[in-house]
Amino acid sequence: MPVDPLHRATNTQRSTTSPPTGGSRASAVEVRRSTRRRRTVSAYREGDRTVVLIPARMSEAEEKRWVTVMLDKLAAQESKRVLGDAELTERAERLSEQCFEGRARPTSVRWVTNQNTRWGSCTPSEGSIRLSHRLQGMPEYVVDYVLVHELAHLLVPGHGPRFWRLLEAYPRTERARGYLEGVVAADRLPHLPGAREE
């Protein structure tokens, strides 16, 4: 479904909800149901909230699913503006404060193009974090998860129980891992001859 920031629905019913935990930068989601809208769903930012436009006949379950889909689409569009290394460092510092009370202190955080089999890496002895350029354009919560994962390695080098307990501080860990697993699975699918790639 296209994200249509210019469309405004008429004959609408409105409801406002909180976004999924750890979700988009907007503080609230307003769902507007329209009797004129038959199948399309669209979303746009309006100040400090996200407006999602859906057909009036949608069930609550469909509404919930589409709100999640549209928040992810908007986040992905916004992430297409590639963060520079300085912005990535600021983001890592903010996440360290939020998740680890500022205890994880990287000396450098940067994008690299030579990591094609992993999403990120960390050298705890140097305090350096490197993120694969393949993350660029993915939703913010996915990039944030990889940053939090690598920040956690500054505190616990291995992948033991203590490490995974640290990651519980990031509320979208499971969702981000699912997203990345989906990307890996899609890369393994055979491409059908003559199939058009968007």
Side-chain angles (χ1 to χ4, degrees), residues 1-9 29-32 34 37 39-45 50-55 58 66-67 69-71 73-74:
M1 299 283 175
V3 176
D4 180 6
L6 302 177
H7 189 79
R8 299 293 187 271
V29 176
E30 180 181 317
V31 177
R32 296 182 186 170
S34 171
R37 198 171 272 269
R39 291 185 309 208
T40 62
V41 176
S42 60
Y44 59 92
R45 303 287 190 205
T50 302
V51 177
V52 180
L53 309 169
I54 64 172
M58 268 194 186
W66 276 109
V67 165
V69 166
M70 298 314 283
L71 285 175
K73 282 193 173 213
L74 284 175

Side-chain angles (χ1 to χ4, degrees), residues 116-127:
N116 294 314
T117 58
R118 23 184 204 177
W119 299 111
S121 62
C122 172
T123 306
S125 61
E126 297 173 2

Side-chain angles (χ1 to χ4, degrees), residues 13 18 44 74 87 91 102 110 119 151 190:
Q13 301 170 350
S18 297
Y44 59 92
L74 284 175
E87 292 170 300
R91 197 169 185 147
R110 61 192 174 92
W119 299 111
L151 285 166

Side-chain angles (χ1 to χ4, degrees), residues 16-34:
T16 303
T17 59
S18 297
T21 305
S24 77
R25 61 187 171 85
S27 60
V29 176
E30 180 181 317
V31 177
R32 296 182 186 170
R33 291 176 171 266
S34 171

Side-chain angles (χ1 to χ4, degrees), residues 179-195:
Y179 184 100
L180 292 171
E181 286 168 6
V183 170
V184 170
D187 284 346
R188 290 181 182 149
L189 289 174
H191 292 282
L192 297 176

Side-chain angles (χ1 to χ4, degrees), residues 132-173:
S132 171
H133 71 287
R134 295 180 305 140
L135 289 165
Q136 294 171 348
M138 290 189 188
E140 287 180 9
Y141 74 90
V142 176
V143 176
D144 284 353
Y145 162 72
V146 177
L147 278 172
V148 169
H149 184 106
E150 301 309 330
L151 285 166
H153 279 309
L154 294 178
L155 303 173
V156 178
H159 286 104
R162 189 166 156 244
F163 172 83
W164 294 110
R165 277 196 301 274
L166 279 176
L167 283 191
E168 290 172 6
Y170 184 64
R172 299 188 83 180
T173 290

